[in-house]
Amino acid sequence: MTVTEQTPVTATRPMVRAQDVVKRYGPIEVLKGIDLSVAPGEVSCLLGPSGSGKSTFLRCINHLERIDGGQLSVDGELVGYRRHGEKLYELKAREVARRRRDIGMVFQRFNLFPHLTALGNVIEAPIRVLGTPRDKARAEALRLLDRVGLAEKAGNYPGQLSGGQQQRVAIARALAMHPKLMLFDEPTSALDPELVGEVLDVMKGLAADGMTMIVVTHEMGFAREVADSVAFLDGGVVVEAGPPDEVLGNPRHDRTRAFLDKVL
């Protein structure tokens, strides 16, 4: 693997910076040199057809996947590596897990623990990973469940909740770790259409509160309304990126226009 040197950080450093990021699965190159920057407090939406590399890129940011080239950093720290002098060393699993605490991730499928209540799902990581006292974790979890509109469902198990409610519990669970960055991998794609709005409303609230978010989505209305930037990916590269009014309203590239003609 070739990982480029990290540039010096500054007071205006991006929250996420990807430079020529490559990811391969055997002979298949899924990411072919992703370049993208997301500022603190920014909401960035990643658009593109299935297989374009959007979800893989998110998983690389969270080091659920190891990159094979380029450089990827979160809040000035290389993802998966540390720098010592002029050399880069791959982090041990424990250090990767420690850094991953700062990054919340919400998946297409809710991945809740079926044997735990909504409250139990939210308090699990703060207690086990952060060592938060149970009473404090419980109070924070109840506040977060109220924030996502589910205070009255704290005692319900996932099987007793709708898909939209389960996804909102998943968001509360991610927020319980006090992340500096939230990643959303098509969070509404597994939901019935009438449940999509309740999840998007929670995400709009997070954006309004200044949470840095990268969202893989096909919800063009959300991208138009909430995103500060939009990136269109195809074939493992960023074809076009910029403000949503420009990318969605007046795309420069034929491939972007062809995609938007099918989804708008």
Side-chain angles (χ1 to χ4, degrees):
M1 173 185 176
T2 301
V3 178
T4 56
E5 290 290 329
Q6 185 179 25
T7 55
V9 298
T10 67
T12 57
R13 69 187 179 198
M15 178 61 72
V16 177
R17 188 180 186 192
Q19 296 172 283
D20 199 27
V21 169
V22 173
K23 174 61 186 177
R24 301 183 187 92
Y25 295 105
I28 301 174
E29 197 170 53
V30 179
L31 302 180
K32 301 177 182 179
I34 295 288
D35 289 295
L36 192 71
S37 183
V38 179
E42 181 178 345
V43 178
S44 178
C45 284
L46 306 185
L47 313 177
S50 297
S52 58
K54 308 181 301 296
S55 295
T56 298
F57 179 55
L58 276 198
R59 293 175 66 85
C60 288
I61 294 173
N62 208 18
H63 204 60
L64 295 174
E65 298 286 354
R66 178 178 177 271
I67 67 173
D68 295 303
Q71 176 182 296
L72 183 58
S73 62
V74 173
D75 200 19
E77 290 188 326
L78 285 172
V79 174
Y81 293 85
R82 64 179 175 85
R83 182 172 177 164
H84 185 73
E86 297 300 317
K87 294 184 178 181
L88 297 175
Y89 298 89
E90 191 164 6
L91 297 177
K92 296 185 182 299
R94 178 175 295 183
E95 181 65 13
V96 170
R98 184 192 68 78
R99 293 191 182 186
R100 192 180 289 141
R101 298 174 192 172
D102 292 332
I103 305 172
M105 189 158 182
V106 178
F107 299 87
Q108 297 178 33
R109 297 291 176 177
F110 325 120
N111 295 338
L112 298 179
F113 297 115
H115 64 289
L116 297 178
T117 63
L119 178 65
N121 269 278
V122 178
I123 68 173
E124 181 77 0
I127 290 174
R128 291 184 177 273
V129 178
L130 301 182
T132 305
R134 179 170 291 273
D135 287 349
K136 183 177 179 181
R138 186 177 187 279
E140 174 71 359
L142 289 172
R143 183 187 70 80
L144 290 171
L145 287 171
D146 182 60
R147 180 177 183 179
V148 300
L150 291 174
E152 77 285 358
K153 300 292 186 181
N156 288 52
Y157 289 89
Q160 299 171 313
L161 301 174
S162 71
Q165 290 170 338
Q166 290 185 61
Q167 193 63 295
R168 285 186 280 157
V169 173
I171 293 172
R173 180 178 61 180
L175 293 174
M177 295 294 286
H178 302 284
K180 62 179 69 172
L181 169 67
M182 285 285 286
L183 308 176
F184 293 86
D185 187 8
E186 297 191 38
T188 61
S189 65
L191 302 179
D192 293 333
E194 65 268 21
L195 303 178
V196 169
E198 62 190 45
V199 174
L200 293 181
D201 284 344
V202 171
M203 295 170 64
K204 290 175 185 177
L206 294 178
D209 290 343
M211 174 64 73
T212 309
M213 299 161 58
I214 302 179
V215 184
V216 172
T217 185
H218 293 294
E219 299 291 339
M220 297 300 159
F222 177 85
R224 285 186 184 276
E225 179 183 352
V226 180
D228 299 295
S229 65
V230 169
F232 173 66
L233 279 68
D234 190 35
V237 299
V238 177
V239 176
E240 186 167 354
D245 286 348
E246 293 181 8
V247 176
L248 301 181
N250 188 29
R252 301 187 306 273
H253 294 268
D254 290 342
R255 182 65 188 94
T256 312
R257 286 193 290 271
F259 173 78
L260 293 175
D261 284 344
K262 294 179 180 180
V263 299
L264 290 179

